[in-house]
Amino acid sequence: MNRLTLTIASVLVLMPFLWMISLAFTPEQDTFGSIGLIPARPTGENFATAVVDAQLGRAMLNSALVTVVAMVTNCLAAVAAGYAFALLPFRGANALFYTLVSTAAIPVSVTLIPLFLMTKSMPLMGGNDLTGTGGTGLLDTLGGVVLPYLVLPMNIFLARQYFSTADPHLAEAARMDGAGEWRVFWRIYFPLARPLVAVIAIFSFTAVWDDFLWPLVVTSSQETQTVQLALARFLSTGNVQYGPLMAGAVLVTLPVIAVFLINQRSFISGLTDGSVKG
């Protein structure tokens, strides 16, 4: 019974993805006439159309730059912050931690205007002076796109929960040998947190790569558009090209799958450690 349930659930989850791949290789004129998963006349023209018409190559490069920066900053800063909250207690740590984590529950639509104003008023950026006036700040730049993702509160929460189960005696032994706090973190606890880093890397990548609303608000030119905005160009016209749209969606999905497969073992290890230790 369990296997049957898992099989049905797997088919339901994979069916939209398989249908997307099928439409990506289906000629545009056969899009609404084909009812099978295997195209009668498979073609690769949709991929060329998606890359050229939507400038998908430039958009994927922009998204790659933004996501890599966000992954690195979260894997370093968020993990370090979680370590500090868990193993370096200080006055007001719990209040600060829960206040920080509670911001993750605020809807994105509520923070759009403050984030936009902060991005526009970034001092010494985009023609702004020290007071943040006179220019455009980080608007319509990749720096403005990545700004809200540099450290995600939920990743700090995951790091804090992970390090709260770590052995504090390792740090005490290292301090007795003369190691500083940064060395204790970087040489002892960070290598032990590889499953945590894999989880944060995957979550950060998907959060940034799949986001549509913030890049739509902060960018205005094709030179800074991300992959989600590039795909939306197929929907902005009256005649939607479903074949190229699905081909573009396949290309955009491949990096997400690749990142998960690369970190799969560490990701599953992180989930297993959490289930045992929690």
Side-chain angles (χ1 to χ4, degrees), residues 4-249:
L4 178 60
T5 304
L6 290 175
T7 301
I8 295 174
S10 299
V11 171
L12 292 176
V13 171
L14 290 176
M15 184 59 66
F17 183 72
L18 296 176
W19 199 267
M20 178 181 68
I21 297 177
S22 175
L23 289 178
F25 288 96
T26 301
E28 184 64 22
Q29 60 270 22
D30 297 340
T31 300
F32 293 100
S34 176
I35 60 175
L37 286 178
I38 301 178
R41 299 182 300 164
T43 179
E45 294 181 358
N46 292 330
F47 291 91
T49 303
V51 172
V52 174
D53 290 359
Q55 297 185 1
L56 201 57
R58 178 61 180 270
M60 292 188 72
L61 178 60
N62 292 339
S63 289
L65 292 174
V66 171
T67 52
V68 167
V69 171
M71 285 174 59
V72 172
T73 55
N74 277 276
C75 289
L76 293 178
V79 172
Y83 167 81
F85 278 118
L87 297 177
L88 299 176
F90 54 92
R91 181 176 298 179
N94 288 334
L96 179 60
F97 172 74
Y98 289 115
T99 301
L100 182 66
V101 172
S102 65
T103 60
I106 300 176
V108 176
S109 56
V110 176
T111 61
L112 275 180
I113 294 178
L115 281 175
F116 181 86
L117 295 177
M118 289 174 59
T119 305
K120 183 180 183 299
S121 303
M122 191 65 60
L124 303 179
M125 295 292 179
N128 285 343
D129 54 22
L130 285 174
T131 62
T133 58
T136 58
L138 291 177
L139 295 181
D140 200 26
T141 65
L142 295 182
V145 176
V146 75
L147 187 62
Y149 309 116
L150 291 177
V151 181
L152 299 175
M154 190 53 62
N155 289 336
I156 297 178
F157 170 78
L158 293 175
R160 191 255 192 182
Q161 298 305 106
Y162 185 92
F163 285 118
S164 64
T165 62
D167 187 1
H169 296 93
L170 296 175
E172 295 176 2
R175 294 189 188 103
M176 292 180 63
D177 291 335
E181 293 301 335
W182 175 252
R183 189 175 182 182
V184 171
F185 166 72
W186 187 249
R187 293 293 184 89
I188 298 177
Y189 286 99
F190 192 81
L192 296 176
R194 292 178 62 182
L196 168 68
V197 174
V199 172
I200 290 179
I202 293 175
F203 285 174
S204 301
F205 185 94
T206 55
V208 179
W209 187 269
D210 294 339
D211 193 18
F212 173 80
L213 185 57
W214 174 245
L216 177 65
V217 171
V218 77
T219 62
S220 58
S221 63
Q222 294 183 4
E223 288 73 18
T224 56
Q225 70 177 358
T226 58
V227 290
Q228 306 305 328
L229 298 182
L231 291 180
R233 295 182 61 188
F234 287 109
L235 303 176
S236 60
T237 60
N239 183 22
V240 180
Q241 297 176 288
Y242 289 98
L245 175 61
M246 294 298 103

